Amino acid sequence: MKALTFSSFGDPTAVVAARDVPLPEPGPGEARVRVRRAPIHNHDLATVRGVYGIKPSLPAIGGSELCGTIDALGTGVALETGARIAAMARGTWAEYALVAADALVPLPPSIDDDAGAQLLAMPLSALVLFDSLGLKAGDWMVQNAAGGAVGKLLDRIARRAGVNVINLVRRPEAVAELQSLGALHAIATDDDGWPARVRALAGDVRAVVDSVCDARSTALHALLGEGGEHVVFGALGASLLRIDPGALIFKQSRVRGFWMTTWFARASAAEKGAAVQRLFELARAGELPLAVEGVFALDASGEAFAVAETPGRRGKVLFAP
């Protein structure tokens, strides 16, 4: 089969290439899936660069999510070949991928391949992240990188729960895009006056979600009210997180990280199933904005990576192996 592999860590455009590799055979408790779509997530690119929390053994096949059909079954798997599924798994940038049977999520016909391929990782992260904040109707939260997939989803989920969200983006033109998706409060951080504009809108800010961690994070943390929480979800700024110690001491604010991989390892099968059902409900209600920026063949990976890392893109980049 054809797959996108890398034998060293580095710039995806330099180290990832389409190569022929052996077709994998499913072992006990596994299914082989014919991949129809596989997204490029930020954490996939970080994995290729060797800076993510998990480093695969090399050589490795990239990708971590897919939509496809079951092609073959290992022993002990009570499923049917041909079934259409979504899954989070390793090595999805390929024509075929092996997936643990308990990670397969059957897809209803109402969810197409483009949406199914990005249904789990980012939407599930947004859902579980929001639950972890412990906010109630009427509370205020602030998030940066609000124009990204998780940011858009987090805004939708929070608003459905009656939570007020202030969405921070870097570019003024991104404000209009968020407003077109229903966001009530969106502010560009392209000048030094953005914290004052946030304070003019917000009541007591109970939580900030930081997916960037850059020079603005100090001001972001300072927006918190007493006992507020600063949750680090990403590190797009590729810099150290700097917090005013006075805020931690005098406001008794807290800082913690959120990693979906940890939740997935600890959650019970019932908790995972309930979360996925909530995603289906949101999808049926049209509340999951899963836009696609482009779909690429494996042989066009360089172009796909360039689009995926273009600032201001409006949707996910997918491979169609």
Side-chain angles (χ1 to χ4, degrees), residues 11-13 40 45 49 293 296 300-313 317 319:
D11 185 336
T13 59
I40 302 174
L45 300 175
R49 290 187 167 98
E293 182 75 17
F296 296 85
S301 62
E303 184 182 357
F305 294 142
V307 174
E309 299 204 88
T310 299
R313 63 175 169 81
V317 177
F319 286 117

Side-chain angles (χ1 to χ4, degrees), residues 150-161:
V150 169
K152 292 173 181 175
L153 293 162
L154 192 56
D155 176 71
R156 290 282 186 100
I157 293 167
R159 284 191 286 112
R160 280 175 63 93

Side-chain angles (χ1 to χ4, degrees), residues 3-321:
L4 291 178
T5 71
F6 55 103
S7 298
S8 61
F9 297 114
D11 185 336
T13 59
V15 302
V16 175
R19 298 180 176 89
D20 289 328
V21 300
L23 182 70
E25 294 297 330
E30 291 183 328
R32 186 173 67 205
V33 176
R34 177 63 174 97
V35 181
R36 296 166 66 101
R37 295 287 189 275
I40 302 174
H41 293 307
N42 286 333
H43 64 257
D44 295 325
L45 300 175
T47 299
V48 173
R49 290 187 167 98
V51 296
Y52 194 56
I54 296 174
K55 284 191 176 183
S57 300
L58 300 178
I61 299 173
S64 59
E65 187 172 13
L66 60 76
C67 168
T69 54
I70 296 176
D71 173 72
L73 299 171
T75 58
V77 180
L79 297 169
E80 295 184 0
T81 58
R84 187 166 159 271
I85 59 87
M88 292 189 292
R90 295 285 170 193
T92 62
W93 295 347
E95 292 177 324
Y96 295 86
L98 295 182
V99 182
D102 60 5
L104 299 168
V105 177
L107 285 176
S110 58
I111 298 178
D112 65 18
D113 289 345
D114 287 355
Q118 48 178 320
L119 179 68
L120 298 178
M122 297 299 103
L124 198 59
S125 293
L127 189 67
V128 176
L129 170 58
F130 176 74
D131 287 350
S132 79
L133 298 176
L135 301 177
K136 61 182 184 300
D139 284 345
W140 286 85
M141 63 170 284
V142 181
Q143 64 162 338
N144 58 18
V150 169
K152 292 173 181 175
L153 293 162
L154 192 56
D155 176 71
R156 290 282 186 100
I157 293 167
R159 284 191 286 112
R160 280 175 63 93
V163 171
N164 301 294
V165 186
I166 296 182
N167 298 284
L168 303 180
V169 292
R170 294 196 178 191
R171 300 171 298 109
E173 53 268 33
V175 171
E177 181 193 354
L178 286 177
Q179 290 172 336
S180 72
L181 294 173
L184 300 179
H185 309 292
I187 293 174
T189 59
D190 59 338
D191 65 69
D192 293 337
W194 65 269
R197 295 200 297 277
V198 173
R199 290 190 179 93
L201 279 174
D204 181 28
V205 176
R206 303 309 309 148
V208 299
V209 176
D210 191 350
S211 295
V212 181
C213 293
D214 63 2
R216 297 177 180 87
S217 292
T218 306
L220 183 67
H221 187 93
L223 296 170
L224 286 169
E226 186 174 352
E229 187 172 53
H230 185 145
V231 180
V232 177
F233 179 75
L236 295 173
S239 65
L240 295 177
L241 176 64
R242 299 183 183 277
I243 303 296
D244 177 6
L248 296 171
I249 297 169
F250 302 121
K251 288 187 178 181
Q252 290 291 286
S253 56
R254 301 180 301 278
V255 181
R256 68 173 173 90
F258 178 89
W259 193 22
M260 189 63 194
T261 300
T262 301
W263 179 87
F264 214 81
R266 294 174 179 172
S268 66
E271 289 172 326
K272 295 173 186 175
V276 170
Q277 287 305 310
R278 288 171 65 191
L279 288 183
F280 284 162
E281 292 169 7
L282 289 169
R284 285 192 291 267
E287 292 290 334
L288 288 183
L290 300 175
V292 173
E293 182 75 17
V295 180
F296 296 85
L298 295 179
D299 287 329
S301 62
E303 184 182 357
F305 294 142
V307 174
E309 299 204 88
T310 299
R313 63 175 169 81
R314 298 194 173 190
K316 191 66 68 176
V317 177
L318 308 176
F319 286 117

